[in-house]
Every structure is written in structure tokens, then in C-alpha cells.
Amino acid sequence: MKVKTRDRILTTSLALFNDLGEPNVTTLLISDELDISPGNLYYHFRSKSDIVGELFSWYSDEINDLLAIPGDVQVSLDQLGFFLHLLFESIERYRFLYHDLVNILSRYPELRPPFRRILERKQKGFHILCESLQNQGLIEASRPVVEALCEQLTLTICYWESFDSLRDAGNRNGLDARRGVYQVFHLLIPHLHASAGRELAVLARDYQPG
């Protein structure tokens, strides 16, 4: 099946944004990469901001589906690891948004409200997961501690791409989802009961950086 030009523009733009950084990519570069005329690109997208907005919509749909966590979920530690891996992989696919988050949101202010809603959903999702662990007797902590933990988990998720890239001397080839999951596990372990902490430490070995 032939891929539509509009979809080719979006997938090529996403790859270029991720590899080179969104500020370094022009519509001319995108059209050259696709071997189409600038006029052809302009027919589908009037500006680069329209491309960024459409890609953000793709990301928003994907991440919101992932964050649609039922309030009464009963999650195992193994399932928690799987969820975190999917979450980090989703961010990796749209890593240009996170590589310089403050800069992106300052240049595309229309993205601030929906991005803020995603941030709130991430924090709410972590609250639901922590409550599930509490209800199962795996974690015991006061409300202020859980609040601080959920905020720390959200912070780690949001800025892991920038941290991972900086650690690799600006490498944009993609964040290491496994290292991210490993870090989140070790933020959780001190708050788990001893047996659950040992179980999560064992699971963390599968995500341990080489």
C-alpha cells in the first residue's frame, strides 16, 4: 500500500527532529530528505509549527492511551515494570519534545496546556499505581511521602531523555528505556516492604545498565 505524502512528511520530520533536534530542521531540509518540492510540502503543511503540532497530537494520543489507568487497578510489580518500559519507549519515539522541553514549550506556546494535562495525567497515574501497591500491602507510606514520591517519579519520567542524552555527550540516538525503568525501580524500592523490595530489586536486574 502506497504511503500518503502527508504521512511521509510526518514520519520523516519526526526522524529528523529526533536525530538533529527540532530547531535544526527546516521545511527545506524535510522536503530535500523526501525529494519533494517545498511547494508540495506547503500544500500539506503551511509551516513547521503545523508539523510539530500534528506530531504532538500523535504523541498525545499514544501517551494518553497508556495513561488511561483504571482507578481500581491491581498491578503486580512485574506489570509495573512493563508499564514503565512502554512509557519510556513512547517518550523515546517522540524524544525531540523532551530533549529541550522548556525551549519547545516557549517556542510553541500552544503546546503548553495539553502538555501540562499530560504531566498531570502522569502524576495521577503514579498515584493510582502507588495506591494499588498500598492496597496490596506492598508499600506503606504517609500521604506527604506518597505525594513527594509521585512527583519525583513524574520528574524522572519527564527529564530522563535530557539527562540520558547529556550523559552520552549529547547523543540523540534515543534514550535507554531500560536505564530509565531501572532508575524508577530504585526510587520505589526504599518505600516497599522488605519482601516486595527484594522482589523489585531482582526485577531491576533485568533493566540494569551494562
Side-chain angles (χ1 to χ4, degrees):
M1 183 176 66
K2 187 176 180 180
V3 179
K4 295 180 179 179
T5 300
R6 178 183 175 85
D7 291 336
R8 290 178 59 223
I9 292 171
L10 288 169
T11 54
T12 299
S13 298
L14 178 59
L16 289 172
F17 290 164
N18 282 340
D19 292 344
L20 303 177
E22 177 273 331
N24 302 315
V25 178
T26 64
T27 52
L28 182 59
L29 178 58
I30 296 169
S31 59
D32 285 345
E33 186 74 14
L34 287 163
D35 196 22
I36 62 175
S37 69
N40 194 351
L41 187 147
Y42 183 77
Y43 172 79
H44 295 281
F45 297 98
R46 295 181 62 86
S47 66
K48 188 174 76 167
S49 64
D50 289 343
I51 297 175
V52 171
E54 186 70 17
L55 290 174
F56 180 84
S57 181
W58 281 11
Y59 166 70
S60 180
D61 289 345
E62 182 175 319
I63 202 73
N64 282 325
D65 282 346
L66 186 57
L67 293 172
I69 306 171
D72 60 350
V73 69
Q74 184 167 324
V75 63
S76 68
L77 295 178
D78 205 26
Q79 290 170 327
L80 177 61
F82 183 63
F83 165 77
L84 290 170
H85 199 104
L86 292 177
L87 190 57
F88 275 108
E89 284 187 340
S90 181
I91 291 172
E92 191 277 334
R93 279 191 287 275
Y94 299 90
R95 60 187 179 273
F96 80 92
L97 293 169
Y98 285 86
H99 189 78
D100 190 358
L101 183 56
V102 173
N103 186 32
I104 281 280
L105 295 182
S106 67
R107 291 191 300 108
Y108 299 99
E110 67 275 11
L111 300 183
R112 291 177 192 167
F115 210 103
R116 190 177 296 113
R117 288 192 291 272
I118 290 173
L119 184 70
E120 291 168 354
R121 292 200 71 184
K122 286 177 184 175
Q123 193 157 357
K124 180 181 178 182
F126 281 124
H127 271 287
I128 292 172
L129 294 173
C130 284
E131 286 174 6
S132 175
L133 295 177
Q134 284 180 311
N135 293 338
Q136 296 173 71
L138 302 178
I139 185 173
E140 183 176 350
S142 65
R143 180 179 294 274
V145 170
V146 171
E147 289 282 348
L149 175 60
C150 290
E151 191 162 307
Q152 181 62 55
L153 295 173
T154 306
L155 177 67
T156 302
I157 291 288
C158 284
Y159 288 98
W160 184 256
E161 199 285 331
S162 294
F163 174 75
D164 211 35
S165 176
L166 182 62
R167 179 168 52 188
D168 287 347
N171 178 22
R172 290 181 178 268
N173 290 331
L175 85 166
D176 189 338
R178 300 178 67 82
R179 283 199 300 206
V181 176
Y182 181 84
Q183 178 66 23
V184 170
F185 274 179
H186 281 275
L187 289 174
L188 285 166
I189 286 173
H191 301 281
L192 298 177
H193 288 301
S195 59
R198 287 192 294 270
E199 181 183 347
L200 194 57
V202 171
L203 291 173
R205 293 174 191 167
D206 292 334
Y207 296 93
Q208 189 168 6

